[in-house]
Amino acid sequence: MMEWTATNIFLLIFVIGTVLFILYDLIVLAFWKGATKLKVALRSRGRFDGYIFFGLLVLLFALNISRNGSMSTTVLLGILSVLFFYISLFRKPHAIFKAEGFFYTFIFFPYAQIERINLSEDGILVIETGRSRLMLRPRSEADLDKMMKTIAEYK
């Protein structure tokens, strides 16, 4: 039976939020706003932060076991550790291009809002919209070409 302490409620909310994030990333973005025209893997920037967070979760998990903490807290920390292990090591950042726009960092940007597109010397595609400046870092030059062609086709 789960103990309903403040810690366990917080962990449960965090586990549910993490599962929803993973489902949104894997399933919802693939179907939302129409069929996917192009999905490009991007270079990650803050990968080390995920490793630190995963390490902290494992440390909390081990401390909870060594101090004979409640079983429900241990289970929730274990589940959260597994979820962040997936996020830190296996999930890759990506841009998903649709017919009307593209998803980047889980936000939809319509092609009509693009004001300017620039390409930096180190292969970073800079897209300026009215509200923000997006810096897409594709993993390869071939991916960069595909992104440019897709944007030019729909713009």
Side-chain angles (χ1 to χ4, degrees):
M1 184 89 186
M2 183 165 166
E3 298 175 31
W4 293 103
T5 62
T7 302
N8 286 349
I9 291 171
F10 173 77
L11 287 173
L12 183 63
I13 291 169
F14 209 48
V15 165
I16 291 169
T18 305
V19 168
L20 290 175
F21 167 79
I22 291 170
L23 291 175
Y24 178 75
D25 184 41
L26 290 176
I27 298 170
V28 174
L29 288 181
F31 299 105
W32 194 22
K33 303 272 187 184
T36 299
K37 304 296 180 189
L38 176 67
K39 184 175 180 179
V40 177
L42 303 173
R43 286 184 277 167
S44 61
R45 295 182 310 181
R47 187 60 95 201
F48 195 67
D49 296 340
Y51 299 147
I52 292 172
F53 192 74
F54 172 69
L56 289 173
L57 282 173
V58 170
L59 182 64
L60 284 172
F61 179 78
L63 283 173
N64 195 50
I65 289 174
S66 69
R67 294 184 179 170
N68 293 324
S70 74
M71 185 63 167
S72 56
T73 304
T74 304
V75 168
L76 288 171
L77 283 170
I79 292 169
L80 203 54
S81 296
V82 168
L83 292 172
F84 270 88
F85 178 77
Y86 165 76
I87 289 173
S88 298
L89 280 113
F90 297 110
R91 187 193 161 275
K92 305 290 185 223
H94 52 269
I96 302 173
F97 293 86
K98 306 284 185 162
E100 298 296 320
F102 64 97
F103 283 99
Y104 175 65
T105 62
F106 308 110
I107 300 171
F108 186 74
F109 297 94
Y111 295 127
Q113 289 184 355
I114 295 175
E115 294 176 356
R116 220 170 306 149
I117 299 174
N118 295 317
L119 184 61
S120 71
E121 291 177 7
D122 51 348
I124 297 173
L125 184 63
V126 180
I127 299 175
E128 293 184 33
T129 66
R131 298 178 294 168
S132 59
R133 176 181 289 168
L134 311 172
M135 296 186 180
L136 285 74
R137 296 168 173 81
R139 290 178 178 245
S140 68
E141 196 169 314
D143 288 340
L144 180 63
D145 291 339
K146 289 178 193 174
M147 289 169 47
M148 295 290 287
K149 287 178 185 175
T150 303
I151 292 172
E153 179 181 329
Y154 292 106
K155 182 74 177 144

